[in-house]
Short mmCIF file of all heavy atoms in Angstrom, two decimals:
data_model
loop_
_atom_site.label_atom_id
_atom_site.label_comp_id
_atom_site.label_asym_id
_atom_site.label_seq_id
_atom_site.Cartn_x
_atom_site.Cartn_y
_atom_site.Cartn_z
N ASP F 1 2.14 -0.66 -10.20
CA ASP F 1 2.03 -2.09 -10.18
C ASP F 1 1.75 -2.58 -8.74
O ASP F 1 2.07 -1.86 -7.81
CB ASP F 1 3.32 -2.71 -10.72
CG ASP F 1 3.22 -4.22 -10.99
OD1 ASP F 1 2.11 -4.73 -10.95
OD2 ASP F 1 4.27 -4.82 -11.24
N VAL F 2 1.20 -3.78 -8.62
CA VAL F 2 0.96 -4.34 -7.29
C VAL F 2 2.20 -5.00 -6.77
O VAL F 2 2.65 -4.76 -5.66
CB VAL F 2 -0.22 -5.35 -7.32
CG1 VAL F 2 -0.34 -6.04 -5.96
CG2 VAL F 2 -1.51 -4.65 -7.66
N ASN F 3 2.77 -5.89 -7.57
CA ASN F 3 3.99 -6.64 -7.12
C ASN F 3 5.21 -5.84 -7.31
O ASN F 3 5.72 -5.67 -8.43
CB ASN F 3 4.05 -7.96 -7.94
CG ASN F 3 2.89 -8.87 -7.63
OD1 ASN F 3 2.44 -9.00 -6.51
ND2 ASN F 3 2.39 -9.56 -8.65
N LEU F 4 5.74 -5.33 -6.23
CA LEU F 4 6.95 -4.51 -6.25
C LEU F 4 7.94 -4.99 -5.18
O LEU F 4 7.51 -5.60 -4.20
CB LEU F 4 6.59 -3.02 -6.00
CG LEU F 4 5.71 -2.32 -7.00
CD1 LEU F 4 5.24 -0.99 -6.43
CD2 LEU F 4 6.50 -2.12 -8.33
N PRO F 5 9.23 -4.71 -5.36
CA PRO F 5 10.20 -5.05 -4.28
C PRO F 5 9.89 -4.31 -3.00
O PRO F 5 9.39 -3.19 -3.02
CB PRO F 5 11.53 -4.64 -4.89
CG PRO F 5 11.25 -4.54 -6.36
CD PRO F 5 9.86 -4.12 -6.52
N SER F 6 10.24 -4.92 -1.88
CA SER F 6 10.12 -4.29 -0.55
C SER F 6 8.67 -4.11 -0.11
O SER F 6 8.17 -4.80 0.76
CB SER F 6 10.88 -2.96 -0.49
OG SER F 6 12.21 -3.17 -0.82
N PHE F 7 7.95 -3.14 -0.73
CA PHE F 7 6.56 -2.89 -0.33
C PHE F 7 5.71 -3.01 -1.63
O PHE F 7 6.14 -2.62 -2.69
CB PHE F 7 6.42 -1.48 0.26
CG PHE F 7 7.20 -1.27 1.51
CD1 PHE F 7 8.44 -0.63 1.44
CD2 PHE F 7 6.75 -1.70 2.71
CE1 PHE F 7 9.21 -0.41 2.57
CE2 PHE F 7 7.48 -1.51 3.87
CZ PHE F 7 8.71 -0.87 3.81
N ASP F 8 4.49 -3.52 -1.43
CA ASP F 8 3.63 -3.69 -2.64
C ASP F 8 2.93 -2.38 -2.99
O ASP F 8 3.02 -1.36 -2.29
CB ASP F 8 2.64 -4.82 -2.43
CG ASP F 8 1.66 -4.55 -1.29
OD1 ASP F 8 1.42 -3.41 -0.91
OD2 ASP F 8 1.08 -5.54 -0.77
N GLY F 9 2.24 -2.43 -4.12
CA GLY F 9 1.54 -1.22 -4.63
C GLY F 9 0.48 -0.72 -3.71
O GLY F 9 0.19 0.46 -3.66
N TYR F 10 -0.20 -1.63 -2.98
CA TYR F 10 -1.23 -1.20 -2.04
C TYR F 10 -0.64 -0.25 -1.00
O TYR F 10 -1.28 0.75 -0.62
CB TYR F 10 -1.91 -2.41 -1.36
CG TYR F 10 -2.46 -3.41 -2.31
CD1 TYR F 10 -2.11 -4.75 -2.23
CD2 TYR F 10 -3.39 -3.04 -3.31
CE1 TYR F 10 -2.66 -5.72 -3.09
CE2 TYR F 10 -3.93 -3.99 -4.17
CZ TYR F 10 -3.56 -5.31 -4.05
OH TYR F 10 -4.09 -6.24 -4.91
N TYR F 11 0.52 -0.65 -0.50
CA TYR F 11 1.20 0.19 0.55
C TYR F 11 1.51 1.59 -0.05
O TYR F 11 1.19 2.61 0.61
CB TYR F 11 2.46 -0.50 0.99
CG TYR F 11 3.33 0.39 1.86
CD1 TYR F 11 3.09 0.51 3.22
CD2 TYR F 11 4.40 1.09 1.32
CE1 TYR F 11 3.89 1.31 4.03
CE2 TYR F 11 5.20 1.90 2.11
CZ TYR F 11 4.92 2.03 3.46
OH TYR F 11 5.71 2.85 4.26
N TRP F 12 2.09 1.60 -1.25
CA TRP F 12 2.48 2.89 -1.78
C TRP F 12 1.27 3.75 -2.20
O TRP F 12 1.31 4.98 -2.08
CB TRP F 12 3.37 2.72 -3.00
CG TRP F 12 4.76 2.23 -2.60
CD1 TRP F 12 5.33 1.05 -2.98
CD2 TRP F 12 5.65 2.85 -1.71
NE1 TRP F 12 6.58 0.94 -2.41
CE2 TRP F 12 6.82 2.03 -1.61
CE3 TRP F 12 5.65 4.06 -1.02
CZ2 TRP F 12 7.91 2.37 -0.83
CZ3 TRP F 12 6.74 4.37 -0.23
CH2 TRP F 12 7.86 3.53 -0.14
N CYS F 13 0.17 3.09 -2.54
CA CYS F 13 -1.05 3.80 -2.84
C CYS F 13 -1.57 4.53 -1.57
O CYS F 13 -1.92 5.72 -1.60
CB CYS F 13 -2.14 2.86 -3.35
SG CYS F 13 -3.62 3.70 -3.92
N ARG F 14 -1.51 3.84 -0.47
CA ARG F 14 -1.93 4.45 0.82
C ARG F 14 -1.05 5.63 1.18
O ARG F 14 -1.51 6.66 1.66
CB ARG F 14 -1.94 3.42 1.95
CG ARG F 14 -2.99 2.33 1.81
CD ARG F 14 -3.18 1.57 3.10
NE ARG F 14 -1.94 0.91 3.55
CZ ARG F 14 -1.52 -0.24 3.20
NH1 ARG F 14 -2.22 -0.98 2.34
NH2 ARG F 14 -0.39 -0.78 3.67
N GLN F 15 0.25 5.44 0.98
CA GLN F 15 1.21 6.54 1.29
C GLN F 15 1.00 7.77 0.43
O GLN F 15 0.99 8.90 0.94
CB GLN F 15 2.63 6.04 1.13
CG GLN F 15 3.05 4.89 2.04
CD GLN F 15 2.76 5.18 3.50
OE1 GLN F 15 3.25 6.17 4.07
NE2 GLN F 15 1.94 4.38 4.17
N ILE F 16 0.74 7.57 -0.84
CA ILE F 16 0.49 8.70 -1.74
C ILE F 16 -0.81 9.40 -1.36
O ILE F 16 -0.91 10.62 -1.41
CB ILE F 16 0.44 8.21 -3.21
CG1 ILE F 16 1.84 7.77 -3.66
CG2 ILE F 16 -0.10 9.32 -4.12
CD1 ILE F 16 1.86 7.08 -5.00
N ARG F 17 -1.82 8.64 -0.97
CA ARG F 17 -3.08 9.21 -0.61
C ARG F 17 -3.02 10.09 0.67
O ARG F 17 -3.90 10.90 0.88
CB ARG F 17 -4.16 8.12 -0.40
CG ARG F 17 -4.74 7.60 -1.71
CD ARG F 17 -5.61 8.68 -2.36
NE ARG F 17 -6.00 8.34 -3.69
CZ ARG F 17 -5.49 8.85 -4.77
NH1 ARG F 17 -4.51 9.76 -4.68
NH2 ARG F 17 -5.90 8.49 -5.98
N LEU F 18 -1.98 9.93 1.45
CA LEU F 18 -1.79 10.78 2.61
C LEU F 18 -1.42 12.22 2.21
O LEU F 18 -1.58 13.15 2.99
CB LEU F 18 -0.70 10.20 3.54
CG LEU F 18 -1.05 8.89 4.22
CD1 LEU F 18 0.16 8.40 5.00
CD2 LEU F 18 -2.24 9.04 5.15
N VAL F 19 -0.86 12.38 0.99
CA VAL F 19 -0.37 13.68 0.58
C VAL F 19 -1.00 14.20 -0.71
O VAL F 19 -0.80 15.37 -1.05
CB VAL F 19 1.16 13.66 0.41
CG1 VAL F 19 1.85 13.31 1.75
CG2 VAL F 19 1.57 12.69 -0.68
N SER F 20 -1.74 13.35 -1.42
CA SER F 20 -2.24 13.81 -2.75
C SER F 20 -3.53 13.09 -3.11
O SER F 20 -3.75 11.92 -2.71
CB SER F 20 -1.20 13.54 -3.80
OG SER F 20 -1.68 13.88 -5.09
N THR F 21 -4.34 13.74 -3.92
CA THR F 21 -5.56 13.11 -4.50
C THR F 21 -5.41 12.87 -5.97
O THR F 21 -6.39 12.66 -6.67
CB THR F 21 -6.77 14.01 -4.24
OG1 THR F 21 -6.54 15.30 -4.85
CG2 THR F 21 -7.03 14.24 -2.75
N CYS F 22 -4.19 12.91 -6.51
CA CYS F 22 -3.97 12.71 -7.94
C CYS F 22 -4.46 11.32 -8.34
O CYS F 22 -4.40 10.38 -7.53
CB CYS F 22 -2.53 12.96 -8.34
SG CYS F 22 -1.46 11.53 -8.20
N PRO F 23 -4.89 11.12 -9.57
CA PRO F 23 -5.36 9.80 -10.03
C PRO F 23 -4.29 8.75 -9.91
O PRO F 23 -3.11 8.98 -10.24
CB PRO F 23 -5.77 10.03 -11.48
CG PRO F 23 -6.01 11.51 -11.59
CD PRO F 23 -5.05 12.14 -10.64
N ILE F 24 -4.67 7.55 -9.45
CA ILE F 24 -3.77 6.41 -9.40
C ILE F 24 -4.46 5.26 -10.14
O ILE F 24 -5.59 4.88 -9.78
CB ILE F 24 -3.50 5.99 -7.94
CG1 ILE F 24 -2.78 7.13 -7.22
CG2 ILE F 24 -2.65 4.74 -7.91
CD1 ILE F 24 -2.55 6.84 -5.72
N ILE F 25 -3.77 4.69 -11.12
CA ILE F 25 -4.26 3.55 -11.88
C ILE F 25 -3.34 2.37 -11.60
O ILE F 25 -2.16 2.44 -11.89
CB ILE F 25 -4.35 3.83 -13.41
CG1 ILE F 25 -5.24 5.04 -13.70
CG2 ILE F 25 -4.81 2.61 -14.15
CD1 ILE F 25 -5.31 5.41 -15.19
N PHE F 26 -3.93 1.27 -11.08
CA PHE F 26 -3.15 0.06 -10.89
C PHE F 26 -3.03 -0.70 -12.20
O PHE F 26 -3.95 -0.76 -13.03
CB PHE F 26 -3.80 -0.83 -9.87
CG PHE F 26 -3.36 -0.58 -8.44
CD1 PHE F 26 -3.95 0.39 -7.69
CD2 PHE F 26 -2.33 -1.33 -7.90
CE1 PHE F 26 -3.55 0.64 -6.38
CE2 PHE F 26 -1.89 -1.09 -6.59
CZ PHE F 26 -2.51 -0.10 -5.84
N ILE F 27 -1.83 -1.26 -12.43
CA ILE F 27 -1.60 -2.19 -13.57
C ILE F 27 -0.99 -3.45 -12.95
O ILE F 27 0.07 -3.41 -12.37
CB ILE F 27 -0.67 -1.60 -14.64
CG1 ILE F 27 0.59 -0.95 -13.99
CG2 ILE F 27 -1.41 -0.54 -15.46
CD1 ILE F 27 1.60 -0.46 -14.97
N SER F 28 -1.70 -4.59 -13.09
CA SER F 28 -1.28 -5.77 -12.40
C SER F 28 -1.69 -7.06 -13.10
O SER F 28 -2.73 -7.12 -13.79
CB SER F 28 -1.86 -5.79 -10.96
OG SER F 28 -1.52 -6.98 -10.32
N ALA F 29 -0.88 -8.13 -12.89
CA ALA F 29 -1.20 -9.45 -13.42
C ALA F 29 -2.25 -10.12 -12.53
O ALA F 29 -2.84 -11.13 -12.92
CB ALA F 29 0.04 -10.29 -13.53
N ARG F 30 -2.48 -9.55 -11.36
CA ARG F 30 -3.51 -10.10 -10.49
C ARG F 30 -4.90 -9.68 -11.01
O ARG F 30 -5.25 -8.52 -10.95
CB ARG F 30 -3.31 -9.61 -9.06
CG ARG F 30 -1.98 -9.99 -8.44
CD ARG F 30 -1.97 -9.57 -6.97
NE ARG F 30 -0.69 -9.76 -6.37
CZ ARG F 30 -0.42 -9.51 -5.04
NH1 ARG F 30 -1.40 -9.05 -4.28
NH2 ARG F 30 0.75 -9.71 -4.56
N SER F 31 -5.63 -10.67 -11.47
CA SER F 31 -6.91 -10.33 -12.15
C SER F 31 -8.14 -10.64 -11.31
O SER F 31 -9.28 -10.40 -11.75
CB SER F 31 -7.03 -11.12 -13.48
OG SER F 31 -6.90 -12.54 -13.23
N GLY F 32 -7.93 -11.17 -10.10
CA GLY F 32 -9.03 -11.56 -9.25
C GLY F 32 -9.78 -10.33 -8.69
O GLY F 32 -9.23 -9.26 -8.50
#
């Protein structure tokens, strides 16, 4: 999800990409 407590999904996506190339699918109410 994008809207998360403390840090948003964009931040965690970047952190995961530092250690893994596994697929990441965002699910969010932000439709823009």
Side-chain angles (χ1 to χ4, degrees):
D1 192 10
V2 173
N3 295 321
L4 295 169
S6 301
F7 300 97
D8 63 23
Y10 303 127
Y11 170 83
W12 290 119
C13 187
R14 292 194 302 272
Q15 298 306 303
I16 291 171
R17 280 290 170 257
L18 294 175
V19 299
S20 175
T21 59
C22 87
I24 298 175
I25 301 177
F26 269 86
I27 46 174
S28 175
R30 299 186 186 183
S31 57

